[in-house]
Amino acid sequence: MSLSRSLALLIGLFFLSIGFGSGTAHAQQDIESLRPLVNALAEGKYKETEKQIEALVATGDPVVAPALEALGGGNLYFRKADRQVFITEKAGKGFALTDPLTLEAAGDAGKREVKKIKVNNKLRRTLRAALGSLTLMAPDPAVRKAAAEAVFKAGDPDAVDSLDAALAKETEDDVRLVMEQARAAAILNSDRGDADKLEAIRTLEDMGNRDALSLLIGLQASAEGELQAAATSAVNRINKSLALWDNAQNIWYGISLGSVLLLAAIGLAITFGVMGVINMAHGEMVMIGAYTTFVVQELIRTSAPGLFEYSLFISLPLAFLVSGTIGVAIERGVIRWLYGRPLETLLATWGISLILQQAVRSLFGPTNREVGNPDWMSGAFELGQLTITYNRMWIIVFAMLVFAGLMLVLKKTSFGLFTRAVTQNRRMASSMGIRTPWIDALTFGLGSGIAGIAGVALSQIDNVSPNLGQGYIIDSFMVVVFGGVGNLWGTLVGAMTLGIVNKFLEPYAGAVLGKIFVLVFIILFIQKRPRGLFALKGRAVEA
């Protein structure tokens, strides 16, 4: 079924379901009284068709909406034999016919038996405004609001009277506001007097978004005298307001990026702080977490589709276990033999990262894998002039929860106490009976597990591929060095600072050059503060 036909049927069924059907508000004779007007669409050329559209809109009857929707979509035909109008859909070598008013099946017709009612761009604009006007009086507030928004976009001056009638009966404040804005847009395109247009300018100025700005800039270029001065003043005020909102949007994007960097770097901050290991395979732990999410979702799709909304909650502990286990195996099998040799550790972990990447390519292929978003992580909402997506918002919340959970582990558990002791003074901790090799292994496993659950989050906003972790490893090291090695508060502040700075630099310098500026800044910064923003304290650390 074509998109236009589907929309037409949905509109018709909606109005029938709320009481506009033949068994309720419309008796059969009422529908039949509209039929001559619908059939008149088959008569004449574009100008006559436009007049017939206006006549249908003048009835104020939403039951004609499917016919107008089908006309705009190119699916309204008339039968040559009796010039009856039908909504059509291709069926074999001919067409399946649907009554445009009752939406009941009306048989079939061959291609030579029917003829399409043609429309041009002007008629399409007229139809959009007509459909908006028809639904301005609908019982459902959401439908009325959507209709007012459609009229605003069309800016049709002929819709002013319909909007006035709708405003006189409107009781919902949010719908009334949108209708007033639509009326202002329509008045600017009309031949109303200067007083009405000045009032419309004030309405759009209070609206204050980019759509209003676009309308006022157009008026500013064509108006004269008092109207031009008012439009100029409104444009300047909106520009100042939007500049502030743009800064707020950049801050939001920066916090969003900072939360991603925090998730990627927080595990590295622990391992780097406790063991001093430069783990170049940390990004691959993130990748393994993302692929764990992919495997979980594939199993759910094939075995239990009803659990898809909970797939991320299932993936989180599994990703932690898989990545953590691999991390412990790497530490016990390779890294523990290389302590005190940073260059060899760097080269060994880099080699491990290549092995893990190739293993994933062999198992899953080199192409990106699709990881779906649950409904509660899909979509966005507006806050003033800010656009906030649900997936980014939940990732910020998740990053803060991971940070808080890790702080509790390190501050309130014996494992955390041992980890902090080893971080501050390894020799003293060992002499007090702490098994530092096992603390190293468990800490490396913890850091890798956290990287794995970071991969679960990143799978919702990034491509899941064998190279996923490579995009975050350098940024993660910059966050750790800038914030202070082994200090979680430093990691949080460093991630948010670098995220916000990056987003403010990108519009001016571009993404790549912006990162270069940040890297240069960090190099200069650590010349003054080699231990970062928040340096750890302890005899061994300070030695």
Side-chain angles (χ1 to χ4, degrees), residues 248-440:
Q249 187 76 66
N250 280 334
I251 292 172
W252 169 255
Y253 287 151
I255 293 172
S256 175
L257 175 60
S259 67
V260 171
L261 294 177
L262 176 64
L263 284 172
I266 195 168
L268 187 64
I270 300 171
T271 55
F272 196 18
V274 173
M275 296 176 287
V277 172
I278 303 174
N279 180 19
M280 295 300 293
H282 185 78
E284 278 55 53
M285 301 299 108
V286 176
M287 173 198 69
I288 289 169
Y291 272 97
T292 301
T293 309
F294 166 72
V295 171
V296 168
Q297 287 196 354
E298 287 298 299
L299 290 174
I300 287 175
R301 285 190 180 104
T302 55
S303 303
L307 295 177
F308 185 80
E309 290 298 308
Y310 308 98
S311 60
L312 297 186
F313 296 105
I314 299 170
S315 300
L316 285 172
L318 291 176
F320 182 86
L321 289 173
V322 172
S323 298
T325 302
I326 293 174
V328 171
I330 291 172
E331 196 281 334
R332 290 285 87 190
V334 178
I335 292 176
R336 69 167 174 159
W337 309 106
L338 300 174
Y339 286 130
R341 291 184 282 176
L343 180 59
E344 286 89 338
T345 304
L346 185 150
L347 292 173
T349 53
W350 180 57
I352 291 171
S353 74
L354 297 178
I355 292 171
L356 291 174
Q357 287 181 44
Q358 190 56 48
V360 168
R361 285 192 183 93
S362 300
L363 288 172
F364 300 100
T367 57
N368 294 342
R369 291 293 181 171
E370 179 186 359
V371 174
N373 293 98
D375 290 342
W376 51 275
M377 285 193 74
S378 303
F381 65 94
E382 301 288 333
L383 182 63
Q385 300 300 317
L386 295 179
T387 301
I388 298 177
T389 57
Y390 285 110
N391 58 355
R392 293 279 182 175
M393 182 186 73
W394 286 117
I395 285 174
I396 292 172
V397 173
F398 177 66
M400 294 301 106
L401 289 175
V402 170
F403 178 81
L406 192 55
M407 287 294 293
L408 285 175
V409 169
L410 293 179
K411 297 291 186 181
K412 301 296 182 180
T413 66
S414 58
F415 170 71
L417 178 63
F418 295 161
T419 301
R420 286 183 287 126
V422 173
T423 302
Q424 293 180 20
N425 195 321
R426 176 179 291 271
R427 290 183 179 180
M428 182 60 73
S430 178
S431 68
M432 296 296 293
I434 297 175
R435 300 178 64 185
T436 56
W438 280 108
I439 293 297
D440 290 337

Side-chain angles (χ1 to χ4, degrees), residues 92-233:
K93 295 183 179 180
F95 293 96
L97 306 181
T98 300
D99 189 291
L101 296 174
T102 65
L103 300 181
E104 296 175 352
D108 300 314
K111 289 185 177 180
R112 295 185 179 181
E113 298 176 33
V114 293
K115 186 175 181 180
K116 182 178 181 179
I117 302 175
K118 297 181 179 180
V119 295
N120 56 16
N121 289 335
K122 182 180 178 183
L123 280 179
R124 289 189 184 94
R125 289 192 294 269
T126 302
L127 284 166
R128 285 196 294 270
L131 287 167
S133 298
L134 278 173
T135 49
L136 284 171
M137 306 288 284
D140 188 345
V143 175
R144 298 197 301 272
K145 186 175 181 180
E149 289 171 348
V151 173
F152 178 87
K153 292 177 181 178
D156 183 11
D158 296 331
V160 173
D161 292 336
S162 300
L163 285 164
D164 287 337
L167 281 166
K169 297 181 179 180
E170 187 55 58
T171 57
E172 300 286 339
D173 291 340
D174 59 332
V175 179
R176 170 177 286 277
L177 178 62
V178 177
M179 285 184 176
E180 289 173 349
Q181 293 166 352
R183 183 179 183 276
I187 284 177
L188 290 186
N189 293 325
S190 71
D191 56 359
R192 296 287 184 101
D194 286 358
D196 288 336
K197 291 189 175 182
L198 286 171
E199 183 182 352
I201 290 172
R202 286 191 290 271
T203 300
L204 293 175
E205 183 179 354
D206 292 337
M207 185 180 179
N209 62 13
R210 298 189 188 281
D211 291 332
L213 180 64
S214 177
L215 289 172
L216 291 170
I217 288 175
L219 178 66
Q220 184 185 19
S222 59
E224 296 178 353
E226 187 180 5
L227 279 180
Q228 188 180 49
T232 301
S233 175

